[in-house]
Amino acid sequence: MAVFGGANLGSVSFSSHLFDQQSCFLSCPLRLLPSSSSSSSSSSSHRNSLLCVVKSFSGSVTADTDTNSDQSSVLSASDSLLRDTSADAGPARISSDWKTAKAYCKSGDTFEGEVEGFNGGGLLVRFHSLVGFLPYPQLSPSRSCKEPQKSIHEIAKTLVGSTLSVKVVQADEENRKLILSEKLALWPKYSQNVNVGDVFTGRVGSVEDYGAFIHLRFDDGLYHLTGLVHVSEVSWDYVQDVRDVLRDGDEVRVIVTNVDKEKSRITLSIKQLEDDPLLETLDKVILKDSSTGSPSLSSNNGDTIEPLPGLETILEELLQEEGIEAVRINRQGFEKRVVSQDLQLWLSNTPPSEGKFVLLARAGRQVQEIHLTTSLDQQGIKKALQRVLERVP
C-alpha cells in the first residue's frame, strides 16, 4: 500500500473506542457503599462495608474486605452497580431521582456532587438519593498531575467530603448504573481555548499500543484536558512500540491537529512540530560516505536502479495522467533511520527545474528520487497522484 504524505492524501484512522478510557469500568458491575459511609478507610461505623476492586477487562469483581468481614463474600459481575442508599427515600423518590439523572445525561448539564467514599476503581459521589460512580480515568487530569508522587487512592482519600462538578455519562436505572465524569464537565470551559495549530506543553498520562494520552497544561499551570497522540504521530522515525519513546510522566510539546467538540476529543502530534527532513532534499537524509564525506547516492545510469516494490505500477499509471510527460528514477540511497515499512511518496520542496519536479519514494530505509517532467504545477501533481493512488490497489 502506498501512502502519499506530501499531499496529505491519507490520514490515520482508528476506532473511536480508543478514546474510551472508561469502558473497562462500565463492563464490571460492583456494589457501592451505604450513603452514611464517608470514606472507605475513615468511617468506623462501616468498617465491614465491602469495597470493590475493579478488574479491568475482566468479567468479575473481587471483594476487598476488612479482616473481620465474612471472607466468603464475593461479588460477581451479576451484582448491581449501584444500590439506592437513602434509608429515608421511598420508591417514588428513588424513581424521581433516576428520571433526574437521565435528564442530566441527555442535556449534558453539570451538577455538584459530594464525594462520599472511594474504592479500587473510582469515587462514590452523591446524586440526591442515589450514589454514582466516577471512574478514576474520568477525574480531571490536574488531580494526578498536581501531585504526581501520590497514588490514585491517596488522591481519592483527600477528595472525600469535597464537592465536584460532574456530568452524568450513563444513567441506567434497570441495571443500577450511574456513571459520572469530572473530565467531561470541564470540557466546555477549556476546550473553547483549544484550536487546531495550538502548541501545548503536556505530560504523558498513559501509554497504549496505539498511542499516548497527553494531559495539556493551560496558562494557569494546571492540566485540564487530555488528548491522544497516535503512534504514527510520535516521531518521523518508525515507532514499533510507543513505550520505547514515551513513558508515563514524561513532559512533551504537542501540536493540536484536530478538535472534535461533538465527541469531546482532541488529537495531537509530536512529530509535526518538526519538519520531515525528507521534504527538503534527498542529500540531507542519506548517509554520507565515510571516505568522501559526501552522500552515498547511486545514479540511474542505464536504468540500473530497480524500483521499490509497488512503485513501478504507480509510475506507469502516472504516465497515463494528462500533463505528465516523463517519469524517471534518478537516484537512490539509504536513510539514517526507518520511517515506515510501507511505500510512501513525497513531493519534495525542491524548486522545479526546467519543468521537472522531484518525487521521493521510500520504504524502510531505502529512498528513491524520481524526476517528473510535467506541465502541471504542484497542486496539479498532487491531484494526479491522488487519482493514481485511488486506482492502484
Side-chain angles (χ1 to χ4, degrees):
M1 176 182 179
V3 180
F4 180 47
N8 297 321
L9 301 183
S11 62
V12 176
S13 62
F14 39 93
S15 302
S16 60
H17 76 271
L18 299 184
F19 280 88
D20 186 5
Q21 297 188 61
Q22 71 180 37
S23 58
C24 62
F25 296 99
L26 303 188
S27 61
C28 301
L30 60 157
R31 192 181 302 280
L32 303 185
L33 295 174
S35 61
S36 56
S37 172
S38 61
S39 167
S40 60
S41 59
S42 62
S43 176
S44 59
S45 62
H46 290 279
R47 188 174 292 274
N48 294 330
S49 297
L50 287 177
L51 300 182
C52 302
V53 181
V54 174
K55 300 295 185 183
S56 300
F57 307 109
S58 70
S60 64
V61 178
T62 60
D64 178 13
T65 67
D66 185 90
T67 54
N68 295 325
S69 338
D70 182 1
Q71 296 298 319
S72 64
S73 297
V74 177
L75 301 181
S76 67
S78 60
D79 285 314
S80 299
L81 170 65
L82 181 144
R83 179 155 50 95
D84 302 316
T85 59
S86 176
D88 300 327
R93 168 70 185 279
I94 293 172
S95 177
S96 174
D97 289 343
W98 274 111
K99 289 179 181 178
T100 302
K102 292 175 185 177
Y104 270 95
C105 187
K106 184 177 181 179
S107 68
D109 292 339
T110 63
F111 79 95
E112 304 293 316
E114 182 179 349
V115 179
E116 296 198 344
F118 63 95
N119 57 39
L123 303 180
L124 315 179
V125 181
R126 169 64 60 180
F127 183 90
H128 301 295
S129 65
L130 311 176
V131 172
F133 181 61
L134 195 157
Y136 289 133
Q138 291 303 316
L139 277 171
S140 165
S142 63
R143 305 286 181 189
S144 57
C145 291
K146 187 161 55 176
E147 299 179 289
Q149 74 282 1
K150 287 188 176 182
S151 70
I152 190 62
H153 296 98
E154 289 174 322
I155 294 172
K157 187 176 181 179
T158 65
L159 293 175
V160 173
S162 65
T163 300
L164 304 182
S165 293
V166 297
K167 274 192 176 183
V168 177
V169 296
Q170 184 179 12
D172 184 347
E173 182 178 5
E174 181 178 354
N175 294 302
R176 292 294 193 262
K177 292 183 179 180
L178 181 58
I179 310 299
L180 311 172
S181 172
E182 181 186 33
K183 184 182 293 185
L184 291 179
L186 296 172
W187 170 266
K189 178 179 179 180
Y190 293 100
S191 63
Q192 61 184 349
N193 297 321
V194 179
N195 300 290
V196 173
D198 288 350
V199 177
F200 284 85
T201 297
R203 180 174 293 171
V204 178
S206 62
V207 181
E208 309 295 339
D209 291 340
Y210 49 82
F213 288 96
I214 310 296
H215 303 320
L216 304 180
R217 189 171 71 197
F218 284 73
D219 291 339
D220 60 3
L222 298 178
Y223 300 79
H224 297 294
L225 299 179
T226 302
L228 176 69
V229 176
H230 190 265
V231 59
S232 64
E233 292 297 319
V234 171
S235 172
W236 288 113
D237 293 338
Y238 175 67
V239 177
Q240 185 171 10
D241 189 339
V242 186
R243 296 168 185 84
D244 293 337
V245 183
L246 299 173
R247 291 180 175 82
D248 291 2
D250 284 354
E251 188 170 287
V252 295
R253 290 180 72 248
V254 292
I255 185 170
V256 178
T257 58
N258 186 57
V259 180
D260 189 333
K261 296 188 181 296
E262 183 178 343
K263 295 182 179 179
S264 304
R265 295 172 182 170
I266 300 173
T267 307
L268 307 168
S269 175
I270 295 175
K271 77 176 188 181
Q272 289 188 33
L273 287 173
E274 301 177 359
D275 290 332
D276 182 354
L278 191 59
L279 292 181
E280 298 302 323
T281 172
L282 186 63
D283 302 81
K284 288 188 177 181
V285 296
I286 300 304
L287 286 168
K288 290 187 176 181
D289 186 282
S290 57
S291 60
T292 64
S294 59
S296 55
L297 302 172
S298 58
S299 299
N300 193 353
N301 299 318
D303 297 324
T304 57
I305 297 179
E306 182 179 348
L308 291 168
L311 180 59
E312 187 173 10
T313 302
I314 293 173
L315 299 185
E316 290 174 353
E317 288 294 324
L318 262 178
L319 286 171
Q320 306 304 314
E321 290 290 319
E322 185 176 352
I324 304 291
E325 301 168 11
V327 179
R328 182 176 182 272
I329 299 176
N330 184 55
R331 296 185 298 171
Q332 75 170 355
F334 291 87
E335 291 190 77
K336 300 175 184 178
R337 75 272 196 273
V338 174
V339 175
S340 175
Q341 298 291 357
D342 296 327
L343 174 63
Q344 295 184 335
L345 298 176
W346 300 83
L347 187 57
S348 173
N349 289 337
T350 305
S353 175
E354 299 178 356
K356 292 181 180 179
F357 282 84
V358 175
L359 185 67
L360 297 172
R362 66 181 172 193
R365 290 179 53 238
Q366 192 171 1
V367 188
Q368 293 181 346
E369 180 185 80
I370 304 157
H371 282 179
L372 274 68
T373 304
T374 176
S375 58
L376 302 176
D377 59 12
Q378 192 174 54
Q379 283 302 118
I381 296 173
K382 290 180 180 181
K383 291 178 181 178
L385 282 166
Q386 186 173 25
R387 289 191 295 268
V388 166
L389 294 179
E390 288 173 352
R391 298 197 300 267
V392 175

